[in-house]
Amino acid sequence: MKALSLLVLVSFLIAAAAECPFSHGNDGGNGGANAPPKEASPPKHDSSPDYSPPANNNTAPPPPASGTPTAAPGASPALAPAASPAPVPAPASSVNKTNNGTLSPDYYANICPNLESLVQGAVRGMMASSPIAAAATLRLFFHDCFITGCDASLLIQNPNNDDEQHSSENMFLRADGYKTITAAKAAVDADPQCANKVSCADIMALAARDAVALSGGPTWKVELGRYDALGARASDVDLPLTTEDVPALMKRFSAHGLTVDDLVALSGGHTLGATSCVFVNSRIYPTADAFLDPGFASQLQGICPSNLDPNTFVFFDQSVTSFDNNYFLMVQQKKGVLFSDSALYFDSSSKGIVDKFAADQNAFFTQFVSSMVTLGRLGLKNAANGEIRTICTKPN
């Protein structure tokens, strides 16, 4: 492989979030029959690998070519028109009904006909200004759906900071993702036909799809018609962990009706983005664990100093801004960056899937689309327990 200088992300602002499927949470152990020996397991951590906590400024990140990492930019509130949210008409057609909610790709056909182009334009603009916008936006969608469902609860900022966004598991989510959703919300509400009629949750779902498609990945029809959560609590956050093996991860995924195919495919979201040395050093010091290629481990040691520098980063694969199957080639070669990446190739239930996706990018794309659609159906809200938020960062 090319020199791992390609993997250094010296200008990414404080940590960009991606755990296993798209990211994992704070700590965790390694259980199960195929778990590595204890000395090979990373220690527990208190935050997730790849993004930064929300701050209070709007500084855009520098391109990944120069500079020393700085504090992460903040997540700006979505722009809000003065009018109250209008009732949302019934969808044009129903394709899925889960948890008292109805989703359809045509939900907004007669409500906001330009919705998809408005969101895509905003995502494209953010990706042009930030090389990590796509990865950050994709991570947000996973984190949101995996907590209380796809309800944009992750965007809520409570006055006392006891919200999902400020939980330890989410404190490394990059502001570039929040800013992408803010830009998309503003673009949608600037259209008089759409203002206050599209949920923040649906905007997140569309933005995640566009982040993948505009990075060279697959596209798909996004099911729409979600309502936004009425609140958010940090205590609800319980995400998969970077230190977990496949049995532990599957316990979490199966609780949401997700399969091992979903786990491996969603982990492929790591083809975009990077992670802090905070989540790598425990695998390479004092000696490299048994699940890393020795040469790769040596290269990682050249990137991540033993006296931990949390502002130094490692790409998950060499095509960091392209959505492809290179991540699976890395995992297959014992070059998975996180323990939870490596674990996929050392468990009999997931190894064959990794091999399939490494050999056939189309197979990966097909399963990724299916898994994203399934993920997008989790925890749907309706008019009785949800709303269409005027401002994405706070309930109406």
Side-chain angles (χ1 to χ4, degrees):
M1 78 186 263
K2 298 180 180 179
L4 265 203
S5 58
L6 291 174
L7 296 179
V8 183
L9 226 184
V10 291
S11 68
F12 272 21
L13 313 177
I14 281 231
E19 288 75 79
C20 187
F22 297 141
S23 54
H24 301 314
N26 56 353
D27 71 2
N30 298 299
N34 296 299
K38 289 185 177 180
E39 62 271 16
S41 305
K44 297 182 179 182
H45 298 298
D46 292 323
S47 50
S48 49
D50 300 308
Y51 299 135
S52 325
N56 293 314
N57 64 76
N58 295 314
T59 305
S66 63
T68 301
T70 60
S76 307
L79 299 179
S84 300
V88 178
S93 62
S94 172
V95 297
N96 175 66
K97 189 169 184 179
T98 306
N99 205 24
N100 297 317
T102 302
L103 298 181
S104 165
D106 301 321
Y107 191 94
Y108 294 101
N110 299 317
I111 303 169
C112 178
N114 296 323
L115 174 60
E116 297 209 22
S117 62
L118 292 169
V119 173
Q120 186 179 97
V123 174
R124 189 187 301 274
M126 279 300 302
M127 288 176 61
S129 65
S130 167
I132 60 171
T137 302
L138 183 57
R139 304 301 193 258
L140 281 187
F141 183 68
F142 175 81
H143 277 240
D144 183 58
C145 292
F146 216 87
I147 299 173
T148 59
C150 305
D151 56 10
S153 55
L154 180 60
L155 303 181
I156 292 176
Q157 296 177 354
N158 294 336
N160 58 357
N161 293 339
D162 64 343
D163 48 57
E164 295 175 16
Q165 197 173 123
H166 287 87
S167 68
S168 61
E169 291 93 334
N170 287 323
M171 285 298 288
F172 279 98
L173 286 171
R174 285 303 300 269
D176 305 66
Y178 294 113
K179 291 168 73 175
T180 300
I181 304 305
T182 296
K185 167 70 169 168
V188 171
D189 284 349
D191 184 327
Q193 191 171 355
C194 305
N196 297 322
K197 296 178 182 178
V198 180
S199 69
C200 300
D202 279 341
I203 290 174
M204 290 181 75
L206 287 168
R209 186 272 310 274
D210 293 337
V212 170
L214 293 173
S215 297
T219 189
W220 62 94
K221 289 185 178 296
V222 177
E223 297 178 346
L224 301 167
R226 298 169 185 81
Y227 280 76
D228 297 324
L230 301 175
R233 302 178 303 182
S235 59
D236 288 331
V237 179
D238 184 19
L239 291 164
L241 312 174
T242 59
T243 53
E244 290 182 326
D245 63 1
V246 171
L249 292 170
M250 277 310 304
K251 184 175 181 180
R252 296 177 184 275
F253 271 64
S254 61
H256 290 288
L258 298 169
T259 68
V260 67
D261 294 278
D262 296 320
L263 167 63
V264 179
L266 293 175
S267 294
H270 279 182
T271 188
L272 298 175
T275 190
S276 168
C277 287
V278 167
F279 302 95
V280 178
N281 276 33
S282 57
R283 304 194 67 196
I284 57 178
Y285 297 111
T287 58
D289 73 40
F291 294 82
L292 281 173
D293 171 80
F296 184 70
S298 178
Q299 291 173 316
L300 289 176
Q301 289 169 342
I303 296 170
C304 297
S306 57
N307 57 332
L308 180 62
D309 178 4
N311 295 328
T312 302
F313 298 83
V314 180
F315 292 129
F316 285 113
D317 68 27
Q318 293 180 335
S319 55
V320 63
T321 59
S322 296
F323 195 96
D324 52 34
N325 69 336
N326 281 344
Y327 163 82
F328 296 104
L329 297 173
M330 298 282 286
V331 171
Q332 196 177 49
Q333 297 165 20
K334 297 181 67 175
K335 296 176 182 178
V337 175
L338 299 175
F339 170 74
S340 52
D341 296 324
S342 295
L344 298 177
Y345 206 60
F346 291 93
D347 188 280
S348 59
S349 68
S350 52
K351 182 179 184 294
I353 305 172
V354 172
D355 284 335
K356 179 173 69 173
F357 293 166
D360 187 350
Q361 182 168 274
N362 287 333
F364 165 47
F365 283 5
T366 298
Q367 182 59 53
F368 185 82
V369 168
S370 175
S371 297
M372 285 291 285
V373 171
T374 301
L375 179 69
R377 295 171 177 172
L378 297 182
L380 301 183
K381 306 298 187 290
N382 56 33
N385 62 0
E387 63 184 3
I388 307 300
R389 261 182 249 146
T390 302
I391 302 175
C392 288
T393 55
K394 65 179 184 179
N396 296 336

